[in-house]
Amino acid sequence: MPEGSMGISNIATCTAPVNIAVIKYWGKRNEELILPINSSLSVTLHQDQLKTTTTIATSRSFQEDRIWLNGKEEDINHPRLQSCLREIRRLARKRRSDGDPGLDSTGLSHKVHICSVNNFPTAAGLASSAAGFACLVHTLARVFGIEAELSAIARQGSGSACRSMYGGFVQWIMGHQDDGKDSLAQQVEPETHWPELRILVLVASAERKPIGSTSGMHTSVETSCLLKHRAEAVVPVRMDGMIEAVQRKDFPAFAELTMKDSNQFHATCLDTYPPIFYLNNVSHQIINLVHQYNNYYGETRVAYTFDAGPNAVIFTLQEHVSEFIQVVRHFFPPETNDGQFIKGLPVNCAPLSEELKQIGLEPIPKGISYIISTKAGPGPCVVDDPTQHLLGTDGWPK
Ligand code: DP6
């Protein structure tokens, strides 16, 4: 019988969010299990603006596991993908051997077809692997009928993916066991905790990042003594301070720790040998502008953080969003004025005072291609509407 003609035995579609770390993960103590040298903490971004959607189907007729990402078939033998598949199937088998009767129809021996898309451009250099692996693991668990702590499996796809398994404010506790069983993500506060907190992603460049996180952090662990000091002496204290700032909704404390930790992460990149440069001229200008703006008001109203690329992620409170966006628009005049500069949550735009036009350096036209306006959001979700499946009833991409 030809492949695909027997129909699918199980299908599920889920979505998962991107997260942005405010205490950064950089460096592994075990590369295969993806165990970090320090704990980290992130804010989960809202899926209305940034999400991955994944459909997974199982069928007796599928001859091999296959995966399609953003419309293109990719290599299923990628070791991290294999780790996630292996761990989920291990859990499913364990449940069946533990005597769960509901598992007959889950197609344990069946192959899977996986189809996944992002609602944002991969080329924008936004961390898509975290949302991608979180979504993969959440959807696999759904298809195989598993209800368990899943962040330790998502972690084996990409370290930062374990934090995308929860909404709101999430810590990844580094753990100390050799088998990694205690290296887990945990929600600190839900997405409803701090509704005034707003997030702006300033997309500085559409170029791909020069050195990926995985190889970058490998070289940092091998060569940077600043990174060792950071992991041992700085992060443990900062984690406590950050959790407290989040719980108390203390914006100035949250903002200061966020900026300092981003700066220290990029300092460890410079301390890596040979050095790694993720920030560009536009990133440096944004850093200056944020400090000048805060200085102008004599209080910390805005914070920046940067991952392994030049895009800035800005945290501020609702009441300051529209003015700060006008400041950004003034110092990085967009190519067109057609309203496409700001995507996502709507922003009121009032004119900017002459005084604020003086706080920065010379404007850099087109330095920022667009801004995504968003907020904290929920963790992975199940999509119940069958018309939303990315695979057809035959189990092939629609
Ligand atoms: C700078 O999670 O992408 O974004 O575990 O090798 O897949 P791997 O790395 P990845 O690294 C993320 C690094 C970071 C900081 C962070 O998200 O904590």
Side-chain angles (χ1 to χ4, degrees), residues 22-142:
V22 291
I23 301 291
K24 304 292 185 192
Y25 146 56
W26 196 251
K28 300 179 183 72
R29 63 179 199 276
N30 179 322
E31 300 210 341
E32 204 177 304
L33 290 172
I34 312 197
L35 301 176
I37 59 168
N38 59 261
S39 295
S40 56
L41 196 144
S42 59
V43 183
T44 297
L45 306 192
H46 205 287
Q47 296 182 47
D48 282 352
Q49 282 73 47
L50 299 161
K51 72 174 172 204
T52 297
T53 304
T54 302
T55 300
I56 301 179
T58 60
S59 169
R60 270 177 70 190
S61 68
F62 294 164
Q63 272 148 34
E64 51 186 353
D65 292 333
R66 295 177 77 159
I67 184 164
W68 292 264
L69 300 181
N70 295 309
K72 190 171 160 277
E73 179 155 22
E74 299 286 344
D75 183 8
I76 193 79
N77 294 314
H78 189 292
R80 292 172 167 202
L81 198 58
Q82 287 296 321
S83 299
C84 294
L85 278 164
R86 185 189 61 235
E87 292 306 308
I88 289 282
R89 283 180 166 134
R90 195 205 305 273
L91 275 186
R93 264 195 305 276
K94 185 171 177 306
R95 254 192 79 184
R96 193 159 64 176
S97 65
D98 287 350
D100 188 319
L103 279 176
D104 278 357
S105 59
T106 55
L108 243 186
S109 57
H110 296 177
K111 302 293 182 193
V112 294
H113 281 184
I114 304 166
C115 189
S116 189
V117 294
N118 296 331
N119 71 344
F120 54 92
T122 313
L126 299 163
S128 54
S129 68
F133 277 108
C135 206
L136 172 80
V137 169
H138 195 77
T139 317
L140 277 173
R142 183 90 190 164

Side-chain angles (χ1 to χ4, degrees), residues 190-232:
E191 60 275 17
T192 49
H193 169 69
W194 197 352
E196 303 81 19
L197 188 72
R198 291 283 302 269
I199 301 158
L200 304 170
V201 184
L202 275 42
V203 180
S205 145
E207 289 163 39
R208 294 195 73 89
K209 59 188 173 191
I211 299 171
S213 312
T214 307
S215 76
M217 68 177 82
H218 174 89
T219 317
S220 296
V221 169
E222 302 251 284
T223 63
S224 170
C225 41
L226 176 57
L227 181 64
K228 194 168 150 44
H229 168 71
R230 164 181 164 73
E232 284 170 4

